[in-house]
Amino acid sequence: MLVSFWLVAVSCYATDVNNVRVWIAPDHARLVFDLSGAVQHKLFTLKKPDRIVLDLSGAKLLSDLSVVDLSKSPVSLMRSGSRNGGKDLRVVLDLKETVKPKSFALKPNDQYGHRLVLDLYREVSEEVPQKTAIASADNPATLRDIIIAIDAGHGGEDPGAIGPGRVKEKTVVLGIARELKALLAKERGFKPKLTRDGDYYISLRSRTQRARKMNADMFVSIHADGFKDKRAKGASVWVLSPRGASSEMGRWLARKENSADLIGGVGSVSLEDKDDVLAKVLLDMSMTASRSDSRQIAHSIHRNLGRFAKMHKKQVEQAGFVVLKSPDIPSILVETGFITNHDEAAKLKSKAYQRKMAQAIFAGIKAHFTNKPPALTWLAWQKNGQRNAKSMSSSYKVMRGDTLSVIASRNGVSLTALRKVNGLRNADHIQIGQVLKIPAS
């Protein structure tokens, strides 16, 4: 009995490393060790040559490290050995470049068992700001494009919801995001940017941080719902709830002293040097404007989607999603359908349907910014140019009681300009029914 008990205890103590996977992102590489159970680990680095050492207590390797594809990673070679008489496992990573390692354990979820994650962050050189001409409303060459941050949900280790035939949310939404980017890239006055353009994971806060670094004028996050009841279906559009906005405002105000975050997008304002009252007022103004624009864009997209897709609700919905919590960037989240529903999964994995989804989102974004373009953008210049051209060709029919000075004041033009465009050189005599040209103000 004693021998049998001792064998069981050893078996429970040992943790197997069953597999090693690699995900490559632009700024880091992620190594994921699939484990049979929880494990204690220790991480340290060595120099000359640069190496990372990962010690796992009570673990043994059942995977072949030589077959792991490290070609696009900062790692040149991964090798292993046993320690403490075979009780522990040591994994050594020989490096091709300098990295900052970070490790953490993940508990089991619906997709995976216990995992140990090792992130290797590359040293990213700061971009040197390029000198650009000062933006002028009179010079379209100096005006900027409207930047749209397009966020494909999930990615890498996080597949999102999984539907029939193992179709994954992360794959579907990246396809829609790329279609949306292509549509916006063809439209003058817009510059689309993806938060991720590959199969890798980005944390929720990092997604909004990336949008801020892009100086985005809008953030749209694309997802596909999943539910245990496979009958559930329908697309939906979400904006930040009042409660979510309130909690985020509190978060920003609480950390403003040590925060490098800015509000207001281009030409943004730091809260760091503002007193509490002014910081709250500035943040409240920024968030109010952002939420108003978010709702307008969301309603337009909801209406567009409803023309060809079943909608989960008849109205735009509200929630406290983390990716919607940028105080200064209009942000929406689009659930393109239930990937766990057989019919909707079949549509969502179709390139034609992904393009249709992207077109509906694109039309909503274009309509909003064409009608309400930010200042000093090409679209704002174009809109003002059209308005001025219309003003140049406008006219006014003289009514009883009118005088030339009253007409000039009412139309926001000078009396001299009104006389000149109508050839009234000496006198201000006008007649009822006479049609006058109104110059641009």
Side-chain angles (χ1 to χ4, degrees):
M1 286 295 292
L2 287 174
V3 173
S4 175
F5 176 80
W6 182 82
L7 289 173
V8 171
V10 171
S11 175
C12 292
Y13 177 70
T15 300
D16 296 334
V17 179
N18 296 315
N19 189 34
V20 182
R21 291 171 285 126
V22 179
W23 306 96
I24 305 296
D27 61 344
H28 74 282
R30 167 166 288 190
L31 278 69
V32 181
F33 297 81
D34 290 311
L35 310 172
S36 62
V39 69
Q40 290 186 337
H41 75 281
K42 180 181 177 182
L43 177 72
F44 60 94
T45 59
L46 297 172
K47 296 288 187 181
K48 296 181 181 181
D50 290 345
R51 287 154 290 161
I52 293 174
V53 179
L54 186 65
D55 285 338
L56 293 83
S57 299
K60 60 180 178 180
L61 181 66
L62 300 185
S63 176
D64 183 0
L65 298 182
S66 66
V67 300
V68 180
D69 184 6
L70 301 170
S71 58
K72 295 180 180 179
S73 78
V75 181
S76 60
L77 179 66
M78 185 161 48
R79 47 201 170 87
S80 67
S82 59
R83 298 177 65 247
N84 297 332
K87 295 180 180 178
D88 302 328
L89 172 67
R90 168 166 287 182
V91 178
V92 179
L93 285 69
D94 296 329
L95 299 175
K96 293 184 280 190
E97 59 187 271
T98 303
V99 295
K100 290 183 178 179
K102 180 182 178 182
S103 62
F104 55 93
L106 289 176
K107 294 180 180 179
N109 60 20
D110 293 340
Q111 309 299 329
Y112 300 103
H114 286 277
R115 286 153 293 160
L116 177 62
V117 177
L118 175 59
D119 283 334
L120 307 177
Y121 289 92
R122 292 182 164 96
E123 288 188 345
V124 181
S125 57
E126 293 290 331
E127 290 187 17
V128 178
Q130 299 294 318
K131 290 185 178 180
T132 57
I134 297 173
S136 168
D138 298 322
N139 184 2
T142 66
L143 301 177
R144 68 178 184 87
D145 292 330
I146 293 170
I147 298 172
I148 308 297
I150 307 169
D151 176 53
H154 307 279
E157 183 69 6
D158 174 18
I162 297 179
R166 303 294 297 172
V167 57
K168 295 173 181 174
E169 179 182 359
K170 66 175 183 177
T171 306
V172 166
V173 298
L174 182 58
I176 297 171
R178 285 172 171 165
E179 291 286 353
L180 178 57
K181 181 186 177 183
L183 289 169
L184 285 164
K186 293 177 184 176
E187 192 71 22
R188 184 167 183 187
F190 288 95
K191 181 183 287 186
K193 296 185 178 182
L194 297 174
T195 59
R196 75 171 177 97
D197 194 12
D199 189 12
Y200 47 85
Y201 176 77
I202 308 172
S203 70
L204 297 178
R205 287 287 180 189
S206 292
R207 294 170 188 269
T208 55
Q209 288 167 4
R210 289 186 181 205
R212 180 160 287 102
K213 287 179 181 177
M214 296 171 185
N215 285 325
D217 295 281
M218 180 196 167
F219 177 89
V220 53
S221 191
I222 303 172
H223 291 258
D225 254 328
F227 194 61
K228 58 185 178 182
D229 187 344
K230 296 180 181 179
R231 294 172 298 177
K233 63 192 304 185
S236 55
V237 185
W238 298 78
V239 295
L240 185 62
S241 66
R243 181 178 294 181
S246 177
S247 67
E248 188 65 9
M249 179 179 289
R251 177 179 173 272
W252 271 59
L253 291 172
R255 59 193 287 268
K256 74 183 181 72
E257 290 84 359
N258 302 314
S259 173
D261 287 337
L262 302 173
I263 62 170
V266 176
S268 52
V269 177
S270 172
L271 298 178
E272 190 175 2
D273 58 346
K274 309 296 187 293
D275 64 49
D276 290 347
V277 175
L278 180 55
K280 189 175 188 304
V281 169
L282 289 171
L283 194 56
D284 184 54
M285 289 173 62
S286 182
M287 185 164 274
T288 299
S290 172
R291 292 185 63 216
S292 175
D293 285 346
S294 299
R295 288 192 295 269
Q296 290 174 15
I297 301 169
H299 283 299
S300 180
I301 292 174
H302 189 282
R303 186 167 55 250
N304 295 342
L305 292 174
R307 294 189 177 117
F308 66 89
K310 173 180 172 55
M311 301 306 293
H312 192 243
K313 293 285 179 67
K314 293 182 179 179
Q315 69 282 340
V316 172
E317 300 177 70
Q318 300 183 29
F321 294 126
V322 172
V323 291
L324 298 179
K325 289 186 175 183
S326 286
D328 53 342
I329 306 175
S331 303
I332 67 167
L333 186 145
V334 180
E335 293 280 7
T336 54
F338 278 82
I339 203 168
T340 45
N341 178 280
H342 188 276
D343 293 337
E344 291 197 340
K347 291 178 181 177
L348 286 169
K349 67 181 181 181
S350 156
K351 288 294 182 184
Y353 194 76
Q354 289 177 14
R355 194 171 298 116
K356 211 169 185 178
M357 275 284 169
Q359 286 168 342
I361 300 169
F362 162 76
I365 294 172
K366 180 184 175 182
H368 174 81
F369 285 106
T370 300
N371 179 59
K372 192 179 177 181
L376 299 179
T377 60
W378 186 86
L379 279 182
W381 172 82
Q382 185 187 49
K383 183 179 181 182
N384 291 334
Q386 291 174 344
R387 185 170 62 215
N388 290 339
K390 184 178 179 181
S391 178
M392 283 290 289
S393 62
S394 65
S395 59
Y396 179 81
K397 191 173 184 178
V398 178
M399 302 174 64
R400 185 180 299 278
D402 279 339
T403 65
L404 204 61
S405 61
V406 168
I407 295 170
S409 176
R410 187 180 298 152
N411 288 277
V413 298
S414 70
L415 185 58
T416 302
L418 187 59
R419 283 175 179 155
K420 184 177 180 180
V421 77
N422 287 284
L424 303 173
R425 296 181 180 178
N426 299 319
D428 289 349
H429 295 303
I430 52 177
Q431 299 177 346
I432 296 172
Q434 180 180 353
V435 178
L436 299 175
K437 295 178 181 178
I438 305 298
S441 58

